[in-house]
Amino acid sequence: MTQVIYDGTFEGWVTAVFEIYEYKLQDIVFAKNEASADLLFSTNHLVITDEVKVNRVLSGLKKRLSQNAYHGLYQAFLSETHKIEEIMFRYVQYVLSTTINIEDDFSNNDVLELRKAIRLTGKEAHRMEAFVRFKFSKDQLYYAIVEPYCNVLPVIETHFKNRYADQRWLIYDAKRKYGVYYDLKNVTTVELQFNAESNYSKSLAEIGDEGEELFQDLWRNYFKSVNIESRKNTKLHLQHMPKRYWKHLTEKIPDIKKRV
């Protein structure tokens, strides 16, 4: 068995695909950044991301896949579902092994699992677009904390750039320890360093604008007023807004006065 160790990026994975063919590697298992200690008797192959190799692989796939399927590979990668790198690799093998279009061949398990991963990323991105709640900082920055199931910041950044084009904003993924920042011109990826004695929520709260708590209270009160108790449907509500998102939703946080 061969552990193919790459840097965790999509480009790194594509480079790995190229080298698997180049070196005729067999019995592949992918590992991010370092070898897995669970596979003691495996051979390790370290991949260094190479733009030339990336372009060659993507060029070949672009010729064989529809536009949706081509972009779907990246979305599947962002799903971070279990063994997604291996599923994607076997899918690519299938694509390159034939001249016919295999995108809808759901009798093939890898095609089916890839489609599920794509849908998962799409669903999570859609929810994030609806559930992101910005707060206002003292230096006129709108910031939001999210912990999505999938790595969807690369998918949703264009939506927020278009929607909030006249505001500086930062969306921080607490699960993956990075964020996307818009400076009124460009969106860039940023990594934030927090005090070891604190956490991201406390650190970001310290930069909040003085009027932000009042605004949040007003929003919570408005949310309560438009939710009629007699028409409450908890099951439907949880279906559209699962509890795992509530942690960072203003309307789901208890009133500030009740926390004092």
Side-chain angles (χ1 to χ4, degrees):
M1 182 173 291
T2 303
Q3 283 196 84
V4 178
I5 307 167
Y6 74 109
D7 61 8
T9 66
F10 180 69
E11 292 76 16
W13 176 83
V14 176
T15 302
V17 171
F18 183 97
E19 295 191 1
I20 290 169
Y21 278 94
E22 181 181 17
Y23 296 107
K24 297 181 173 58
L25 303 179
Q26 301 294 324
D27 298 323
I28 301 303
V29 175
F30 289 90
K32 294 180 180 179
N33 299 314
E34 60 183 20
S36 172
D38 295 333
L39 301 174
L40 299 177
F41 302 104
S42 63
T43 301
N44 297 332
H45 176 81
L46 181 63
V47 174
I48 305 299
T49 301
D50 186 315
E51 186 176 349
V52 174
K53 294 178 180 179
V54 170
N55 290 335
R56 285 185 61 180
V57 173
L58 294 182
S59 178
L61 292 173
K62 201 168 187 177
K63 293 175 182 177
R64 292 171 170 82
L65 294 171
S66 66
Q67 186 175 10
N68 285 340
Y70 176 75
H71 292 297
L73 270 174
Y74 182 50
Q75 287 190 301
F77 180 81
L78 295 176
S79 73
E80 297 183 344
T81 54
H82 184 59
K83 296 292 183 181
I84 189 60
E85 297 104 320
E86 285 83 358
I87 293 169
M88 291 169 60
F89 175 65
R90 292 191 296 268
Y91 175 84
V92 168
Q93 281 185 308
Y94 190 19
V95 170
L96 298 178
S97 69
T98 179
T99 57
I100 64 173
N101 188 301
I102 57 85
E103 296 170 20
D104 296 322
D105 180 12
F106 299 124
S107 64
N108 181 286
N109 189 62
D110 295 314
V111 175
L112 179 61
E113 291 302 316
L114 189 90
R115 182 64 63 89
K116 289 180 181 178
I118 294 171
R119 288 177 175 171
L120 181 63
T121 300
K123 184 177 182 180
E124 190 72 351
H126 179 71
R127 282 176 167 172
M128 282 296 100
E129 289 174 356
F131 295 158
V132 165
R133 297 291 185 266
F134 284 105
K135 298 179 182 179
F136 197 51
S137 73
K138 294 176 182 178
D139 63 351
Q140 314 300 301
L141 172 72
Y142 288 90
Y143 67 93
I145 303 171
V146 297
E147 296 182 60
Y149 184 77
C150 306
N151 182 16
V152 295
L153 292 194
V155 180
I156 66 175
E157 63 178 41
T158 300
H159 167 83
F160 286 98
K161 179 181 178 182
N162 293 336
R163 186 172 181 180
Y164 301 105
D166 60 343
Q167 302 169 359
R168 290 171 55 245
W169 51 259
L170 166 71
I171 304 175
Y172 179 72
D173 185 337
K175 182 178 179 180
R176 295 165 186 83
K177 312 300 181 186
Y178 85 99
V180 287
Y181 168 66
Y182 176 62
D183 62 2
L184 299 180
K185 292 183 179 180
N186 302 302
V187 178
T188 54
T189 299
V190 297
E191 293 185 7
L192 304 180
Q193 299 295 325
F194 296 108
N195 190 308
E197 298 178 356
S198 183
N199 57 41
Y200 62 86
S201 296
K202 183 177 179 181
S203 298
L204 288 175
E206 290 173 352
I207 66 174
D209 182 76
E210 292 180 358
E212 179 62 25
E213 287 193 353
L214 174 61
F215 172 78
Q216 290 184 42
D217 258 348
L218 290 172
W219 173 244
R220 279 188 285 270
N221 288 331
Y222 168 76
F223 183 78
K224 288 180 180 178
S225 70
V226 297
N227 280 275
I228 303 172
E229 191 66 26
S230 61
R231 297 182 180 178
K232 188 174 181 180
N233 186 330
T234 303
K235 184 177 180 180
L236 181 63
H237 181 66
L238 289 174
Q239 181 180 336
H240 291 287
M241 188 183 287
K243 279 192 174 182
R244 62 189 175 91
Y245 297 105
W246 291 15
K247 182 179 178 181
H248 302 298
L249 291 175
T250 301
E251 61 269 31
K252 291 297 184 182
I253 299 174
D255 291 348
I256 292 173
K257 292 181 180 179
K258 294 180 180 179
R259 288 183 278 141
V260 174

